[in-house]
């Protein structure tokens, strides 16, 4: 079904649909949807708007299907009861005197997105759930690793926090830079919006917590956790309390209005890396470096239960919106899903080859979530009764380094990821007809000679040239990984380069590294020869 008949009439103010009426927009003649990107000048030729991929022959356009997801977002806000925000309604939890608009069932089918294939096991999933198209890559002028990020209320802008304690603000439609400002004295660690979206909490590696207004103005500052890094923040369902966790092995509950600590939850044996408050109940979940996941009662400070499923540091925990599923990620390369009602493990997901560093549930489809790894791999999962334990979509080289944080746009049509490679990337759904990331593992399909896609492991001796191969800040090895589509790691103790990829990829890497080492060795020999000759010549003078 074409969505063109549901587009707003010409000269309509698109701000009501979550877009911006001040930006130029262009109609895509292939799928009859509005697509948004950079402003288009009439003087520009077609080469500035669309670039053709010579290998596949398809057009590569920088465009975002922003309109139809905005309809979905608007329908969710207007036609559903505000169950999660009952505390914000004057007069308590009752809805008397607050009528809401309910769309007729004959029209509900027109409010969603177009559907597409790509699921596993015959399961049909929404085409906007798996965002494998890299829409834009941003990098601030003062380039630093991006430690955490968050969309502003409504999704109009993206807020990122870097290792230098600076806020960076990006436009959520055309991805342009808007603002950079100093927020913390040390590196960012986490940020969280209140449920009523009236305040933002941020924490840093020096044990400082700050309150911010929606206009990014400082409101309050607290020092806690004995000056240790605070890795996680989360609000209670009523926004009257919030919880934090840190490297002092404690979880602490704070009173929001009183700006004071109410309770200290002790029980972990090592640094607590992540914490999340249940979306409906008075239950707190925390994950620690002691490999444990604990559930706490914030009213009494007691530990309700302990989960022993992981064998390494628990890096992230996340509650699903229904409050029944708990997702945990760890450095043991596993993601586990628990049903809290029965206190049992539903499944253990294997797809990452390095530590899992970030996870995020989809805001609309409750069985879909995304995960990021230490090696920059981005994976989309679809679980549940009709889902699968296999990755639904995988992008092995989404980033060059660890993905520290990821957040979905409130409409679910964009995913923002922040990485240690100093880049923030925006991911969108594919154009109709393309399957990038949906049917492969990011490797070339056998190459020209039909070689096997079997993943092999190899090593290459580096000798005294370990630093040359790594490069300044890892730039050389990162560029080589991106170009050859392989995974590489330098063992500096054994002085070897560990390579993971297909046979043809490993052969290409060895040729490139060998050529690099040969150039370095020849230049060193020339310098030694010139040094000896020059020394004698100058001695004669």
């Amino acid at each position: 079904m074409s969505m063109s008949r549901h587009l707003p009439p010409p000269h309509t103010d698109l701000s009501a649909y979550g877009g911006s009426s001040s930006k130029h927009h262009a109609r895509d003649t292939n799928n009859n949807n509005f697509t948004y990107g950079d402003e288009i000048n009439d003087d520009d030729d077609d080469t500035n708007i669309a670039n053709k991929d010579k290998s596949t022959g398809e057009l590569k356009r920088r465009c975002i299907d922003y309109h139809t997801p905005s309809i979905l977002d608007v329908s969710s806000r207007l036609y559903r009861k505000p169950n999660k925000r009952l505390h914000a309604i004057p007069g308590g939890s009752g809805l008397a005197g607050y009528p809401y608009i309910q769309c007729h069932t004959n029209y509900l089918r027109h409010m969603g997105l177009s559907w597409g294939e790509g699921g596993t096991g015959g399961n049909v999933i929404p085409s906007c759930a798996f965002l494998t198209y890299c829409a834009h890559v941003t990098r601030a002028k003062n380039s630093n690793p991006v430690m955490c990020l968050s969309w502003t209320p409504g999704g109009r802008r993206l807020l990122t926090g870097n290792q230098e304690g600076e806020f960076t603000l990006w436009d959520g439609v055309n991805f342009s830079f808007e603002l950079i400002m100093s927020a913390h004295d040390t590196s960012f660690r986490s940020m969280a919006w209140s449920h009523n979206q009236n305040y933002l909490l941020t924490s840093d590696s020096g044990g400082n917590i700050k309150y911010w207004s929606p206009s990014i103005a400082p409101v309050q500052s607290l020092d806690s956790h004995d000056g240790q890094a605070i890795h996680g923040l989360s609000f209670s369902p009523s926004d009257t309390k919030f919880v934090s966790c840190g490297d002092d092995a404690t979880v602490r509950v704070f009173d929001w209005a009183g700006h004071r600590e109410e309770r200290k939850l002790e029980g972990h044996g090592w640094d607590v890396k992540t914490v999340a408050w249940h979306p409906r109940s008075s239950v707190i979940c925390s994950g620690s470096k002691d490999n444990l996941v604990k559930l706490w009662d914030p009213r009494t400070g007691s530990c309700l239960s302990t989960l022993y499923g992981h064998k390494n540091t628990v890096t992230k925990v996340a509650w699903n919106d229904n409050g029944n599923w708990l997702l945990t990620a760890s450095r043991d390369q596993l993601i586990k899903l628990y049903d809290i009602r029965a206190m049992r493990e539903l499944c253990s997901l294997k797809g990452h080859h390095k530590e899992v560093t970030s996870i995020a549930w989809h805001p609309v489809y409750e069985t879909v979530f995304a995960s990021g790894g230490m090696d920059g791999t981005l994976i989309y999962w679809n679980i549940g009764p009709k889902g699968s334990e296999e990755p639904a979509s995988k992008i092995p080289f989404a980033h060059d380094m660890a993905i520290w944080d990821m957040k979905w746009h409130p409409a679910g049509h964009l995913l923002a990821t922040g990485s240690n490679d100093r880049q923030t990337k925006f991911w969108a759904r594919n154009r109709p007809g393309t399957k990038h990331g949906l049917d492969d593992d990011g490797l070339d399909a056998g190459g020209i000679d039909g070689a096997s896609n079997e993943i092999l492991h190899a090593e290459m001796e580096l000798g005294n040239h370990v630093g040359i191969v790594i490069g300044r800040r890892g730039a050389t090895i990162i560029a080589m990984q991106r170009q050859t589509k392989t995974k590489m790691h330098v063992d500096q103790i054994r002085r070897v380069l560990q390579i993971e990829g297909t046979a043809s990829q490993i052969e290409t890497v060895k040729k490139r590294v060998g050529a690099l080492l040969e150039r370095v060795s020849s230049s060193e020999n020339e310098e030694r020869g010139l040094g000896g000759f020059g020394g004698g010549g100058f001695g004669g003078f």
Side-chain angles (χ1 to χ4, degrees), residues 132-454:
T132 56
Y133 170 65
C134 184
H136 190 65
V137 181
T138 64
R139 192 165 182 170
K141 184 177 296 185
N142 299 329
S143 181
N144 286 288
V146 181
M147 307 305 297
C148 58
L149 50 82
S150 178
W151 292 93
T152 58
R156 292 299 303 273
R157 293 173 179 84
L158 180 73
L159 196 63
T160 64
N162 64 20
Q163 200 173 46
E164 294 296 323
E166 295 174 334
F167 270 134
T168 308
L169 201 62
W170 306 93
D171 190 285
V173 179
N174 57 19
F175 314 123
S176 60
F177 169 81
E178 289 195 354
L179 174 69
I180 187 169
M181 60 174 289
S182 179
H184 285 271
D185 296 331
T186 56
S187 172
F188 266 95
R189 280 295 178 264
S190 66
M191 60 176 64
W193 284 94
S194 59
H195 295 294
N196 58 21
Q197 300 179 345
N198 288 336
Y199 289 96
L200 172 70
L201 278 179
T202 61
S203 65
D204 61 19
S205 59
N208 182 250
I209 301 174
K210 286 189 177 182
Y211 296 23
W212 305 84
S213 67
S215 60
I216 317 300
V219 177
Q220 184 71 25
S221 179
L222 299 175
D223 290 323
S224 184
H225 289 271
D226 301 326
Q228 300 293 319
I230 301 176
H231 295 287
L233 294 168
S234 182
F235 274 93
S236 67
S238 63
D239 287 339
T240 58
K241 316 286 182 185
F242 71 89
V243 63
S244 66
C245 66
D247 282 348
D248 60 345
T250 65
V251 177
R252 308 194 183 204
V253 181
F254 292 84
D255 178 73
W256 166 259
H259 314 302
R260 57 185 175 83
E261 179 184 321
E262 281 193 345
R263 188 163 282 106
K264 181 190 296 185
L265 310 180
E266 298 178 312
H268 281 292
W270 214 341
D271 304 346
V272 185
K273 297 297 184 182
T274 177
V275 68
W277 202 305
H278 192 280
R280 303 286 185 272
S281 307
S282 294
V283 178
I284 295 173
C285 178
S286 62
S288 172
K289 200 173 180 179
D290 60 5
N291 310 345
L292 302 180
V293 176
K294 287 183 177 289
L295 301 178
W296 307 86
D297 183 354
R299 295 167 296 187
T300 62
S302 59
C303 179
L304 300 175
S305 181
T306 303
L307 306 177
Y308 298 89
H310 290 288
K311 298 180 180 180
N312 209 325
T313 302
V314 180
T315 55
K316 293 291 181 180
V317 296
W319 296 98
N320 197 1
D321 189 56
N322 58 31
N324 299 327
W325 289 353
L326 174 65
L327 207 60
T328 63
S330 171
R331 294 187 66 182
D332 60 6
Q333 306 174 12
L334 297 179
I335 301 173
K336 292 184 179 291
L337 179 68
Y338 293 92
D339 189 339
I340 299 303
R341 296 168 295 182
M343 291 303 297
R344 67 185 182 92
E345 180 182 321
L346 294 180
C347 59
S348 182
L349 307 176
K350 301 177 182 179
H352 287 277
H353 301 295
K354 292 290 183 179
E355 300 94 321
V356 186
T357 54
S358 57
I359 51 177
W361 285 101
H362 195 281
V364 179
Y365 307 104
E366 64 176 13
T367 63
V368 176
F369 71 91
S371 63
M374 181 66 74
D375 56 354
T377 302
L378 176 61
I379 301 180
Y380 295 94
W381 308 82
N382 184 30
I383 56 176
K386 297 182 180 180
S388 171
E389 295 186 11
E390 296 296 324
S393 176
K394 188 172 183 179
I395 310 174
F397 302 97
H399 283 274
D400 296 328
M401 295 184 181
I403 302 176
W404 292 130
D405 198 8
M406 58 174 59
K407 289 293 189 303
W408 293 87
H409 189 279
H413 74 294
L414 282 176
L415 177 70
T417 57
S419 171
N420 197 54
D421 64 2
R422 300 168 173 81
Q423 293 179 344
T424 303
K425 291 189 177 183
F426 296 86
W427 302 89
R429 66 174 181 168
N430 284 324
R431 294 176 60 83
T434 60
K435 297 181 179 180
H436 175 66
L438 296 177
D439 56 356
D440 54 51
D441 197 23
L443 301 174
D444 295 333
I448 299 175
D449 55 353
S452 174
N453 278 340
E454 181 183 359

Side-chain angles (χ1 to χ4, degrees), residues 466-488:
V466 172
I468 299 297
V469 175
I470 296 177
R472 186 171 181 267
R473 295 185 178 180
T476 303
I477 192 172
I478 289 173
M480 200 172 298
Q481 284 186 97
R482 188 190 303 113
Q483 295 169 1
T484 60
K485 304 292 185 182
T486 56
K487 298 177 182 178
M488 287 179 274

